[in-house]
Amino acid sequence: MIPAEAFYAGLFKVAAAAAGFVTDPSGRVLLVKPGYRDHWGWPGGHVDEGESPEEACHRELAEELSLVRPVGRLLVVHWVPPIDDRPVPLVHFLFDCGVVEDGAGMVLQEEELEDYGFFTAEQAAPLLPAYLLARLTAAERARESGTTEYLGGSVLE
């Protein structure tokens, strides 16, 4: 029998991340522009050790935007193979975090974010890689239909 520590040490590594899908009353999606990459994305980040994806989502919204929102239903689970500067695959959990009136009261985490805004899918298209645009439209469908969508690695650019 293989000892547990040896078995788990030999397993394939996967990063886990979580983010919040927040919209304004007209349905535009809240996106943030990190200072450490060229494209926009959702407020969120990696799941820390000992933390669930829901807890990570809640923590990241508070850290990145001073936005305290209830973390609702899981909208999208997205498997993203290794890309560019990330040598391990990523499993991303996108949660419904509801509707906010506007950006009033949001404070950017200066060491990570450059900007935020609310966008339609059409407005967001030039700001996002294709796989993130697919995640955005999947989240819109899932919220509207009350379902959860799974996206595989085939939606990469």
Side-chain angles (χ1 to χ4, degrees):
M1 190 160 124
I2 300 172
E5 62 273 5
F7 174 77
Y8 286 105
L11 288 179
F12 189 61
K13 306 296 184 253
V14 176
F21 187 80
V22 178
T23 59
D24 68 7
S26 69
R28 296 179 306 156
V29 178
L30 172 63
L31 297 176
V32 295
K33 173 60 179 95
Y36 51 85
R37 69 180 147 190
D38 293 333
H39 61 78
W40 291 64
W42 288 267
H46 288 97
V47 176
D48 288 344
E49 185 175 347
E51 172 176 70
S52 71
E54 298 95 314
E55 292 168 330
C57 178
H58 189 268
R59 175 185 52 77
E60 288 284 349
L61 284 170
E63 287 176 2
E64 291 187 349
L65 295 168
S66 298
L67 187 60
V68 178
R69 303 286 310 154
V71 176
R73 199 170 53 73
L74 179 61
L75 297 175
V76 179
V77 177
H78 190 179
W79 174 264
V80 186
I83 55 173
D84 301 333
D85 59 350
R86 186 177 32 78
V88 297
L90 173 83
V91 61
H92 188 277
F93 300 90
L94 187 57
F95 293 95
D96 192 342
C97 292
V99 177
V100 296
E101 286 302 314
D102 55 29
M106 285 196 258
V107 179
L108 288 178
Q109 182 182 23
E110 290 182 20
E111 53 281 359
E112 282 200 29
L113 300 179
E114 293 177 2
D115 202 0
Y116 73 90
F118 291 89
F119 304 90
T120 65
E122 295 78 24
Q123 292 167 330
L127 305 174
L128 300 173
Y131 72 98
L132 292 183
L133 184 59
R135 189 182 300 161
L136 188 156
T137 57
E140 289 176 329
R141 287 189 308 269
R143 182 189 262 184
E144 186 174 318
S145 66
T147 60
T148 300
E149 291 211 17
Y150 169 77
L151 296 176
S154 64
V155 298
L156 287 180
E157 296 177 281

